[in-house]
Amino acid sequence: MTSPDTSQTKVLLAEDEESFIDALVVGLTREGFEVTVARDGSEALKLFDAVEPDLILLDLMLPKVSGIDVCRSIRARSSVPIIMVTAKGTEIDTVVGLEVGADDYVAKPYRLRELVARMRAVLRRTPHNQPGGDEEQAGSIGAAHPVLESGGIQIDPDRHLVFVRGEEVHLRRKEFDLLNLLMENAGRVLTRDVLIDRIWGSDYYGDTKTLDVHIKRLRSHVEVDPSHPLLITTVRGVGYRFDAPRS
Ligand code: CA
């Protein structure tokens, strides 16, 4: 099969800023998406039923009904992928968005390329969009995972190798997965729930201290001074974030 997975993928864009709407409609259409625009929250809910989109791009700050309430309302009846669009520096809103069921988020201003990459990633993770069923497996098994490098840490997911400031370190499986997930989302806070869900699975009911223990071990491997972590930072009451140093 050679057809791109975005052909005829219907996107509901809930956004009230005309400058964003214009750019996104042009950009996403060019990427092969079929875009429907809702300019406020109540229109988004109406169009959700009318259009039955494959993915929703949901601005958090919408007139009439907020993005959070739109997300909560849609999540109550559908597992359609939702990407929240937040303003810069609204970390708490972002966390609320993830807690009410958004699959991912991008912060404004963002690059179209980044947005499309996130859209494709959530679509890949969603069986909803895989009529064949086999494609998802083929994608996740066959696809090469890029080597990530940041803050002196290099992680190679396919070869299961980690180098810290040039020295190879040996991480346990879960520590490795945790580091990889944090680095894939460098600069973005991941909630405890999201981390536990992605690393241990949604059916994990063990002690939530497990996460902290793994973070602590991971820090002992990657931080220059594990008692003053600079790479894997705690976002109080929320979760953890891999901080890519600005250079
Ligand atoms: Ca807005």
Side-chain angles (χ1 to χ4, degrees):
M1 271 196 276
T2 51
S3 63
D5 59 2
T6 53
S7 64
Q8 284 136 24
T9 297
K10 290 186 278 184
V11 176
L12 176 60
L13 170 63
E15 172 64 72
D16 62 318
E17 280 172 60
E18 289 300 329
S19 58
F20 273 92
I21 294 171
D22 291 346
L24 280 175
V25 169
V26 171
L28 294 178
T29 303
R30 201 166 43 210
E31 293 286 334
F33 295 98
E34 189 184 323
V35 187
T36 304
V37 180
R39 286 179 167 77
D40 63 57
S42 66
E43 196 183 3
L45 289 171
K46 271 186 217 131
L47 285 173
F48 171 70
D49 291 323
V51 173
E52 298 185 336
D54 300 300
L55 182 144
I56 303 176
L57 285 178
L58 184 58
D59 182 29
L60 208 74
M61 304 287 281
L62 283 174
K64 294 189 186 171
V65 180
S66 79
I68 294 287
D69 288 337
V70 170
C71 186
R72 196 179 276 131
S73 168
I74 287 174
R75 216 16 114 237
R77 54 207 161 107
S78 166
S79 59
V80 62
I82 300 175
I83 298 180
M84 281 272 183
V85 180
T86 63
K88 216 177 172 62
T90 53
E91 204 156 70
I92 295 304
D93 291 342
T94 303
V95 169
V96 174
L98 293 173
E99 279 173 359
V100 297
D103 296 273
D104 203 353
Y105 69 94
V106 289
K108 287 177 179 174
Y110 51 81
R111 289 171 192 278
L112 182 70
R113 196 193 297 172
E114 184 200 351
L115 177 68
V116 170
R118 294 204 171 273
M119 289 168 69
R120 294 208 166 112
V122 294
L123 285 167
R124 265 200 305 277
R125 291 202 297 264
T126 313
H128 181 81
N129 255 283
Q130 303 283 341
D134 299 340
E135 277 179 60
E136 184 171 30
Q137 267 191 322
S140 54
I141 294 169
H145 300 86
V147 174
L148 302 173
E149 192 164 8
S150 184
I153 314 297
Q154 192 187 67
I155 186 165
D156 183 340
D158 289 333
R159 294 164 67 210
H160 213 273
L161 294 176
V162 179
F163 293 90
V164 175
R165 292 171 287 279
E167 302 258 331
E168 185 177 357
V169 297
H170 298 279
L171 299 181
R172 297 179 198 198
R173 180 64 191 265
K174 297 288 188 201
E175 293 163 14
F176 186 93
D177 293 346
L178 195 53
L179 179 64
N180 192 46
L181 182 61
L182 286 163
M183 288 184 71
E184 276 178 345
N185 291 280
R188 303 150 59 81
V189 61
L190 294 176
T191 64
R192 300 179 59 84
D193 284 350
V194 164
L195 288 166
I196 290 170
D197 207 59
R198 302 246 177 112
I199 304 298
W200 284 274
S202 53
D203 53 354
Y204 178 79
Y205 291 107
D207 193 342
T208 59
K209 283 266 184 292
T210 302
L211 174 62
D212 305 290
V213 170
H214 279 77
I215 290 282
K216 193 173 173 185
R217 281 208 219 112
L218 199 48
R219 281 173 172 158
S220 75
H221 287 293
V222 304
E223 299 284 351
V224 173
D225 177 0
S227 58
H228 294 97
L230 296 175
L231 293 171
I232 300 170
T233 54
T234 304
V235 182
R236 232 170 222 293
V238 179
Y240 295 99
R241 179 182 56 215
F242 186 91
D243 281 310
R246 302 177 201 292
S247 57

